[in-house]
Amino acid sequence: MIRNTSNGWGSVSRWLHWILALTIIGMIGFGWWMNHIPARPDRFFYRSIHADIGYVILLLTVLRLVWRVVNPTPALPADSQPWQRLAARISHGALYLAVIAVIVLGWAHSGAHAPDYSDFFGLFHVPQFTSPDRAAANAYEDRHILFAYVLLALIAVHVVAALWHHFIRRDRVVTRMVADEAG
């Protein structure tokens, strides 16, 4: 099943979820590594690759949000409490907002950094919406890093909630994101 149903996630939603999850976690680790290696000549290259992958994540996140708008969101188990439904909505919204905030702040840093990181894998230049300014670049980078840690914390909450659903509640919430279920 490609599309979502009221009972399960379709293959497009599942693929986007896992591709984004693995890429975002990898980018957080890669970003941490980049900021902890000694200054070296290839540092700009690594930051450029980081920016390029960030632009791809932004595109995939927007596609995922559009797909989510045009497809039903599978319902939580019928015995879920109202606070659980609210917590799920808030935490998913916070994850999307944090992903977008991290990327937009990184993009702002790119434009404010001289030279910028706009060369997308050598194919074309990504338009920048900020101008070169060293102080602004540092501020954007600091906020980019801060929100990356916020995102990491939200990911941890998401994983703990998934584990709680799978091992404590023993409902099908996690299984729906892993396997194609008829319904």
Side-chain angles (χ1 to χ4, degrees):
M1 123 185 107
I2 291 175
R3 296 179 62 89
N4 302 342
T5 67
S6 59
N7 298 323
W9 297 101
S11 58
V12 171
S13 293
R14 287 195 322 274
W15 276 101
L16 286 170
H17 174 271
W18 291 110
I19 288 168
L20 283 167
L22 294 173
T23 307
I24 289 167
I25 291 168
M27 283 286 279
I28 291 171
F30 185 60
W32 185 89
W33 173 80
M34 279 186 331
N35 285 322
H36 290 85
I37 60 172
R40 47 196 253 186
D42 56 357
R43 190 172 189 173
F44 183 82
F45 169 77
Y46 291 122
R47 287 178 172 248
S48 293
I49 295 298
H50 184 77
D52 293 346
I53 296 170
Y55 298 132
V56 172
I57 290 172
L58 180 60
L59 175 64
L60 290 175
T61 300
V62 169
L63 288 173
R64 184 166 184 212
L65 285 169
V66 168
W67 186 254
R68 190 170 172 140
V69 167
V70 299
N71 281 274
T73 299
L76 287 173
D79 63 344
S80 296
Q81 299 295 317
W83 71 266
Q84 293 168 330
R85 294 176 192 283
L86 180 63
R89 263 189 245 119
I90 290 171
S91 65
H92 283 106
L95 274 167
Y96 285 118
L97 284 173
V99 166
I100 292 168
V102 168
I103 296 167
V104 169
L105 287 164
W107 193 356
H109 171 257
S110 171
H113 187 271
D116 64 34
Y117 305 109
S118 67
D119 185 27
F120 186 77
F121 294 110
L123 301 172
F124 59 89
H125 287 281
V126 176
Q128 301 297 297
F129 61 90
T130 56
S131 301
D133 179 328
R134 180 172 289 193
N138 290 336
Y140 290 132
E141 184 176 31
D142 289 345
R143 286 163 182 80
H144 174 72
I145 293 167
L146 171 68
F147 275 91
Y149 282 114
V150 168
L151 176 57
L152 188 59
L154 290 168
I155 290 168
V157 168
H158 187 71
V159 169
V160 167
L163 293 171
W164 177 76
H165 274 284
H166 192 70
F167 293 109
I168 306 298
R169 290 208 60 199
R170 297 184 187 272
D171 55 26
R172 307 288 296 163
V173 169
V174 173
T175 307
R176 297 183 309 186
M177 188 50 80
V178 176
D180 189 9
E181 294 185 351

